[in-house]
Amino acid sequence: AQGYSTAVFLNYLSKVDGKLTSIDIPYMNIKDSKSKIGYLVPIYLQKYWIKIIQPDSYSLKRLVSDNIVFDLIHYDSDKSLKGKIINFELIWSLLKKGGYFICDDISDDGYFHYFANKKSLSPIVINFQNKFQGILIKN
């Protein structure tokens, strides 16, 4: 939420004239928390950034209804099982063929592997300092 990974993505996208759409929710119990989302992103990179501040499922449904598609989606959001069940299908429908779905913290539960199996895909799993990320490529 502070903008570390956002700044990395935007730095690359600024070189290829790409765009980043990010979805965040305000911090609970923090005054003026909307302004704190992505505060580490330099101003010169913000023109490549579409920032949506509202819950995932609302934003994802809106993107689906607007027929928006993405090359890559990085999910580091609602970690609840219910959230994943709702959001993974929406995310999958937003990916272009050949697009990448990257998911943080896949060891929290087995849903990422269940979803990969349901789509008949073999996930790529990355282990860094006992934190696991999963990657699926839409075929």
Side-chain angles (χ1 to χ4, degrees):
Q2 295 171 330
Y4 289 111
S5 59
T6 300
V8 170
F9 280 115
L10 289 172
N11 185 54
Y12 171 76
L13 291 169
S14 71
K15 294 169 178 38
V16 298
D17 201 31
K19 290 280 187 193
L20 172 72
T21 300
S22 64
I23 300 170
D24 282 291
I25 57 172
Y27 295 105
M28 300 289 286
N29 304 320
I30 295 179
K31 185 179 178 182
D32 194 29
S33 68
K34 285 185 179 182
S35 68
K36 298 198 183 334
I37 294 172
Y39 75 91
L40 295 174
V41 175
I43 290 173
Y44 72 93
L45 291 176
Q46 292 184 14
K47 66 182 176 182
Y48 303 99
W49 188 21
I50 299 164
K51 183 171 35 170
I52 301 170
I53 301 176
Q54 67 180 165
D56 298 336
S57 60
Y58 297 121
S59 302
L60 293 170
K61 287 175 186 171
R62 190 178 89 219
L63 292 169
V64 168
S65 71
D66 290 344
N67 295 313
I68 308 292
V69 291
F70 296 93
D71 298 308
L72 182 146
I73 296 177
H74 176 238
Y75 187 80
D76 186 16
S77 195
D78 188 345
K79 307 292 190 210
S80 73
L81 181 58
K82 180 180 178 183
K84 290 176 188 177
I85 290 169
I86 293 168
N87 294 331
F88 280 22
E89 285 296 341
L90 291 168
I91 286 168
W92 200 251
S93 68
L94 289 166
L95 271 179
K96 291 180 181 176
K97 186 175 182 176
Y100 292 82
F101 173 38
I102 302 171
C103 185
D104 277 354
D105 304 316
I106 63 168
S107 58
D108 290 352
D109 57 45
Y111 191 74
F112 178 82
H113 289 285
Y114 169 81
F115 185 79
N117 188 52
K118 187 167 119 174
K119 299 295 181 190
S120 301
L121 297 169
S122 297
I124 300 164
V125 176
I126 299 169
N127 175 359
F128 180 72
Q129 297 179 345
N130 258 0
K131 292 276 201 169
F132 296 87
Q133 286 194 329
I135 302 171
L136 297 175
I137 303 169
K138 188 172 185 178
N139 50 19

